[in-house]
Amino acid sequence: GAVVSQHPSWVICKSGTSVKIECRSLDFQATTMFWYRQFPKQSLMLMATSNEGSKATYEQGVEKDKFLINHASLTLSTLTVTSAHPEDSSFYICSAPYLGGGGETQYFGPGTRLLVL
Amino acid sequence: DAKTTQPNSMESNEEEPVHLPCNHSTISGTDYIHWYRQLPSQGPEYVIHGLTSNVNNRMASLAIAEDRKSSTLILHRATLRDAAVYYCILTVSGAGSYQLTFGKGTKLSVIP
């Protein structure tokens, strides 16, 4: 089956620093990837849609200058949390759509846990 | 977007079948019914999806009501590894790279 990886799996950083999270589709190409954020005991919230070769589309309320998304190739999207603050501490998850025999499904990465001190 | 309604939580004994319900009374004719699950501290995992007919795969079965206003995810023999939050999500067919809107899902606990 299709596999999506994320790196790093967890990161601790100081307030004010920037953190980059990578999302890779390992055995398929994805022109679109999605970034989600999940706070403890809550559901996943879509942050943005990453588009290969063009600008990302952000959901309402998500600051595009704070959460920089780059979809540089058909297998890699990166999310950079700039000037991170403690309120950005969360579980960040990416997904990529995969078109198989039964139609399109989404494959998710294992998530990146960010803790900002 | 058409909404889904699921119970907040359910319990099952290990090795017994589990029926997870989902109501989607405002579903449109082009909406697919998808189920994903999220194990603790992991990203969601695709389980199954269907449009009108019942579907089976190695993980589960999906029973869709004739009027499509409800569906049931069936785990035939629950194991401890099936303890997770199960999400029932509607997606529009032919929409290309669709985005998923997650509700609160059903937290399934499996009792040994």
Side-chain angles (χ1 to χ4, degrees), chain A residues 34 36 38 43 102 104-106 108, chain B residues 36 38 44 49 96 98 102-103:
Chain A
F34 300 96
Y36 296 83
Q38 186 176 33
S43 190
E104 186 177 285
T105 58
Q106 295 272 347
F108 288 81
Chain B
Y36 287 81
Q38 186 177 24
H49 77 284
Y98 61 85
F102 286 81

Side-chain angles (χ1 to χ4, degrees), chain A residues 25 27-31 33 74-75 97-98:
Chain A
S25 56
D27 47 2
F28 66 103
Q29 295 181 333
T31 56
M33 291 183 177
L74 289 172
T75 58
Y98 176 75

Side-chain angles (χ1 to χ4, degrees), chain B residues 30-92:
Chain B
T30 55
D31 287 341
Y32 278 83
I33 303 159
H34 283 244
W35 284 82
Y36 287 81
R37 71 180 186 181
Q38 186 177 24
L39 278 64
S41 299
Q42 295 187 29
E45 173 186 30
Y46 167 77
V47 178
I48 201 167
H49 77 284
L51 184 62
T52 56
S53 304
N54 294 343
V55 184
N56 299 296
N57 66 20
R58 63 175 179 81
M59 287 182 70
S61 295
L62 176 59
I64 301 173
E66 199 168 328
D67 63 5
R68 302 211 323 127
K69 293 185 176 182
S70 66
S71 61
T72 302
L73 178 70
I74 302 167
L75 306 180
H76 296 285
R77 269 180 86 235
T79 68
L80 296 178
R81 204 189 166 283
D82 292 321
V85 178
Y86 288 78
Y87 297 98
C88 169
I89 303 171
L90 302 183
T91 65
V92 179

Side-chain angles (χ1 to χ4, degrees), chain A residues 13 58 62:
Chain A
C13 70
Y58 291 83
V62 177

